[in-house]
């Protein structure tokens, strides 16, 4: 009897391990995949929430960068191909920017575009 319970638990745990990697993954919200160096869309709002994902690119949007986006924001693209608009006054931002610089990731200033 004890063998069958252990075997059942082993089977159940093995099956769960097959599905665990799929948990918590984001799906892209657009059909286009973002690459390093891809120019992001403008931010119309920002968040001070921490970004807990690996960042692969960083951009700085100033208030005058886009005609229809009149806020300042740091735009992080993660290894999950998600784009986050970060409030420049977020208390954790400067420390994260320094860590990115140490990894060789510099925030690119977005050029003005009045389209």
């Amino acid at each position: 009897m004890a063998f069958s319970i252990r075997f059942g638990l082993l089977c159940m745990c093995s099956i769960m391990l097959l599905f665990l990697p799929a948990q918590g993954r984001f799906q892209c919200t657009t059909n286009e995949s973002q690459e390093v160096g891809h120019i992001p869309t403008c931010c119309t709002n920002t968040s001070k929430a921490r970004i807990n994902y690996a960042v692969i690119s960083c951009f700085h949007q100033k208030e005058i960068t886009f005609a229809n986006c009149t806020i300042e924001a740091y735009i992080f693209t993660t290894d999950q191909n998600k784009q986050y608009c970060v409030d420049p006054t977020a208390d954790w931002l400067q420390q994260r920017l320094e860590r990115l610089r140490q990894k060789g990731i510099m925030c690119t200033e977005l050029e003005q575009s009045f389209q």
Side-chain angles (χ1 to χ4, degrees):
M1 183 84 175
F3 175 75
S4 63
I5 292 174
R6 287 184 184 160
F7 182 74
L9 286 173
L10 176 67
C11 290
M12 189 172 67
C13 289
S14 298
I15 291 170
M16 289 182 68
L17 286 175
L18 291 174
F19 293 105
L20 250 157
Q23 298 297 316
R25 290 195 179 172
F26 290 112
Q27 293 184 352
C28 292
T29 56
T30 65
N31 292 333
E32 300 175 14
S33 63
Q34 295 181 353
E35 302 169 3
V36 176
H38 177 267
I39 303 299
T41 57
C42 72
C43 292
T44 55
N45 56 15
T46 60
S47 172
K48 291 184 179 184
R50 291 182 186 272
I51 309 301
N52 294 321
Y53 300 100
V55 173
I56 59 172
S57 64
C58 175
F59 298 90
H60 184 205
Q61 169 186 303
K62 294 186 178 180
E63 292 176 351
I64 58 171
T65 302
F66 299 105
N68 57 340
C69 304
T70 57
I71 62 169
E72 183 178 4
Y74 282 89
I75 306 169
F76 289 163
T77 304
T78 68
D79 60 350
Q80 305 261 324
N81 286 329
K82 296 288 283 181
Q83 186 174 298
Y84 293 91
C85 298
V86 179
D87 187 318
T89 63
D91 59 352
W92 56 269
L93 180 63
Q94 293 306 315
Q95 184 179 18
R96 183 68 181 262
L97 290 174
E98 181 57 34
R99 285 195 340 238
L100 290 174
R101 277 192 283 281
Q102 291 172 357
K103 292 180 179 180
I105 300 173
M106 307 300 254
C107 284
T108 303
E109 296 285 334
L110 293 176
E111 300 294 323
Q112 286 185 353
S113 172
F114 294 103
Q115 298 177 10

